[in-house]
Amino acid sequence: MSFVEYPSSRRATSAQLTGTVMAVQANFYQVYLDSELVSPAAETSILLCTRRTRLKKIGQKVMVGDRVGIEDPDWKGQRGAIADVFPRQTELSRPPIANANQILLVFSIAEPDLDPVALSRFLVKAESTQLDVKLCLNKCDLIKTEELQHWFERLQGWGYQPLLISVRQELEYFLESRNDAQPFTQGKTDSALLQQLRDKITVISGPSGVGKSSLINRLIPKIDLRVGKVSGKLGRGRHTTRHVELFELPTGGLLADSPGFNQPTLDCDPQQLSQYFPEIQQRLTTGSCQFNDCLHRDEPNCVVRGDWERYDHYLEFLQEAIIRQEAMIQQPDAESSLKSKTTSGGKRQYEPKLASKKYRRTSRRLQHQTLQDLCEEIDEM
Ligand code: GDP
Ligand code: ZN
């Protein structure tokens, strides 16, 4: 992921009070101050802030996750005013979060059983945000060690290093030595998981029932206390689908809980899909297909087509993407936003015109909007 340099004029000066927006409600922003900057007289590290009129005038929105500069702190009343919003490194539209670093995709290994195609779909959707993707498999207490070993190796083949945990038993399973009798060592703490979450903004995602709430409650034992306190001030609960809030991990890092969903729709265009499979990317670093726009189906001299586990998933999702694109081409208004071209392989192909904001391919910000759809689907359910 590339990080945007702060232009010097917008960089926080050493004397400026800075912090991170943890929650937004109407015109109020809950800002968690950077600890080293908090005045010794301050009894709080959280200020309830308004947004300076100047920011409103220039249309500068403030999102959860934004790094902001604060003026006029009223330590007694625990109030302040947001005077600056520093440039974002990343931006997801929905859940609306600025500066998220990674997605922690949680699945359960049993109850409900792990469905490889569903997991693949979630992974592809998560990869399409271009944030880092971490995979965590919960409920490992429900299956035998041999099965754990099987899943671990299988997912490694997909290009992931899954964290195997049991929230219920407060255990993590580590593959320390390749000793057949005892392939996994059990750890008592969440050390590996916590280490991955430290100093980052992480969006937790995954289908319902896999143990996300249980995990968050375990990672942040005080979460209910804090939710209670925040609700008092801002007057709303945590479980509305459009609501996003960041929670601080006691060991460092911030977590955002995004609502559960069951079947994410893949809405990338057919050419993009291969970017979201680590296995394909790996094959394309060591070799290249004859055609630049190879869709890796039946083209000659393709280095991707082959006997690897998720190749069938790729073909299935590709077919969906093609059908979706064809449907768009048949709709008169969608058609106007697509242009056709003839590829080097002699095929006629439609691709988005760059003028169309909706289908533009290159914008990082738009790529991030794919998480938006996840939530829209839940809203519709
Ligand atoms: P969410 O919908 O993803 O937030 O899932 P929940 O946290 O509500 O958990 C769903 C169910 O799974 C609950 O009945 C939990 O008690 C159970 N559960 C959560 N973690 C574990 C685990 O590690 N092992 C087992 N066996 N059950 C778990
Ligand atoms: Zn190919």
Side-chain angles (χ1 to χ4, degrees), residues 328-338 359:
M328 277 195 328
I329 290 163
Q330 270 149 31
Q331 286 167 15
D333 59 334
E335 196 169 7
S336 64
S337 63
L338 296 168
Y359 302 116

Side-chain angles (χ1 to χ4, degrees), residues 138-139 141-142 166-169 207-214:
N138 186 32
K139 309 198 190 182
D141 53 288
L142 296 175
S166 162
V167 175
R168 179 162 293 171
Q169 294 193 341
S208 40
V210 298
K212 294 183 303 300
S213 310
S214 315

Side-chain angles (χ1 to χ4, degrees), residues 26 41 58 72 120 144-145 167 174 207 226 245 256 277 313 316 333 337 341 358 361 369 375:
I58 60 170
D72 301 336
S120 217
K144 293 202 182 97
T145 325
V167 175
F174 301 99
R226 239 206 93 217
E245 185 167 345
F277 282 81
H313 301 185
E316 182 181 331
D333 59 334
S337 63
K341 68 167 190 179
K358 197 170 168 198
R361 235 193 243 173
Q369 287 187 349
C375 299

